[in-house]
Amino acid sequence: MSTDAQGRMRSWTLEPSTPTFHPPPGAVDAHCHVFGPADRFPFSAKAKYIPQDAGPDALFALRDRLGFSRNVVVQASCHGTDNAATLNAIAASGGMARGVAVVDPAISERELQALHDGGIRGVRFNFLKRLVDDAPKDRFLDLAGRLPGGWHVVVYFEADILEELRPFLDALPVPIVVDHMGRPDVTQGPDGTDIRAFRALLDSRGDIHFKASCPDRLSEAPPWDDFARAVRPLVETYPDRCLWGTDWPHPNMESRIPDDGALVDMIPRIAPTAELRRKLLIDNPLRLYWSEEWP
Ligand SMILES: O=C(O)c1cc(C(=O)O)oc(=O)c1
């Protein structure tokens, strides 16, 4: 674990390995975050963790090192509903990043449009109690009905509340992207209770996507075999609805910092053909985040 003099944590490695797998040209890292830099973009008073700075320069250096072309920057919970750090990263990317915001549900139409102009294409609803104080479903639903055209919602929840969330998810009037597949217990295997419940959700409507991400969070230790076993069939069954992301800088993973190169080497294990990888890394994220480039 790495903590600086101010007690700020570092949850990412400064020396990721170079992956063996080469992503196809144009590949999108569709789930990553930025932290600060805090002197320009202070953390929220309600932040549940205070990380060291992980700004756009470091993110884009990692993108290049891993062989990716674009990023989707997801507003991290430590920045609350002030999306300035995320917008700053998108602005610094020269068009190679888009983002997902976290907003106060009372946000005005004009503010939503400003986020759209800054490259935001969705809002994130976070249901993890260790990350946020409250998640008001009624207000989220109201907001989801007022989003700019072409936006979606990103939902982060744990498998044990999926059943309870079903009426809320069923009522969302826009496409859904589920972070880290709703954190299934992958040790149960591809036919375990959690993956079966998640498949039932995916089967309930055709516009639910998922991020086949975070073996480091969902599996005990590299080489994360149980993750590969449980997730590959999902990518094969729903090839047009999966996304992939590093999750850099891996919020809260300071005691089990993953190697980003090893994370990239998981891709061919869960998407074994070139066609699956093209969908996972290019087609699906472009359709959601760069729709103007999508035929
Ligand atoms: O599981 C987590 O701790 C986590 C946290 C955040 C965040 O703080 O936004 O985002 C993630 O994708 C995952």
Side-chain angles (χ1 to χ4, degrees):
M1 181 181 309
S2 180
T3 308
D4 69 10
Q6 287 77 43
R8 293 169 59 187
M9 304 283 200
R10 178 165 56 76
S11 49
W12 61 99
T13 175
L14 301 176
E15 296 178 341
S17 69
T18 303
T20 309
F21 169 69
H22 299 290
V28 183
D29 174 355
H31 185 96
C32 51
H33 315 277
V34 286
F35 298 152
D39 57 351
R40 289 177 65 200
F41 308 110
F43 298 110
S44 162
K46 295 180 180 171
K48 305 296 182 223
Y49 58 93
I50 302 294
Q52 295 176 24
D53 289 342
D57 292 349
L59 175 64
F60 302 146
L62 181 80
R63 173 197 68 195
D64 295 346
R65 183 184 179 102
L66 299 179
F68 283 79
S69 302
R70 307 189 196 211
N71 297 103
V72 177
V73 183
V74 176
Q75 167 82 350
S77 64
C78 58
H79 278 295
T81 55
D82 179 348
N83 294 282
T86 296
L87 291 166
N88 173 62
I90 296 170
S93 75
M96 299 313 260
R98 289 255 158 105
V100 174
V102 175
V103 304
D104 183 323
I107 187 169
S108 70
E109 263 68 25
R110 184 203 290 246
E111 290 166 313
L112 284 168
Q113 186 57 45
L115 291 174
H116 186 92
D117 295 342
I120 298 294
R121 293 295 180 268
V123 290
R124 188 184 203 199
F125 298 150
N126 189 338
F127 288 93
L128 265 68
K129 292 200 171 68
R130 68 178 167 81
L131 296 176
V132 290
D133 293 330
D134 57 344
K137 293 195 200 85
D138 292 352
R139 301 184 70 211
F140 284 168
L141 271 182
D142 171 70
L143 170 63
R146 304 191 288 114
L147 295 177
W151 282 33
H152 59 274
V153 305
V154 172
V155 191
Y156 190 21
F157 59 84
E158 287 171 320
D160 63 349
I161 67 158
L162 172 54
E163 227 33 64
E164 175 193 328
L165 275 187
R166 276 301 295 270
F168 167 76
L169 296 171
D170 293 349
L172 284 170
V174 292
I176 301 172
V177 176
V178 180
D179 275 345
H180 320 320
M181 299 162 291
R183 301 187 62 111
D185 177 354
V186 293
T187 66
Q188 299 169 348
D191 300 315
T193 319
D194 287 358
I195 295 280
R196 280 214 314 273
F198 190 58
R199 278 179 177 267
L201 174 71
L202 292 171
D203 291 339
S204 71
R205 52 192 266 195
D207 62 351
I208 304 183
H209 306 71
F210 61 96
K211 293 176 187 159
S213 48
C214 289
D216 53 311
R217 293 188 190 278
L218 303 181
S219 187
E220 208 41 53
W224 305 308
D225 290 338
D226 43 10
F227 180 93
R229 240 182 101 237
V231 174
R232 173 177 161 170
L234 281 182
V235 172
E236 290 176 329
T237 311
Y238 308 96
D240 299 312
R241 293 156 67 177
C242 49
L243 304 167
W244 186 88
T246 53
D247 185 42
W248 187 90
H250 315 291
N252 298 305
M253 292 299 285
E254 54 277 346
S255 54
R256 282 199 309 169
I257 295 177
D259 169 23
D260 300 282
L263 290 171
V264 172
D265 280 330
M266 175 58 72
I267 293 172
R269 301 176 66 197
I270 57 170
T273 68
E275 188 190 358
L276 283 173
R277 294 193 285 269
R278 194 196 70 233
K279 289 175 180 240
L280 177 72
L281 299 173
I282 302 173
D283 297 1
N284 300 341
L286 282 195
R287 209 182 318 110
L288 283 166
Y289 293 98
W290 282 269
S291 59
E292 73 278 12
E293 290 183 32
W294 186 251

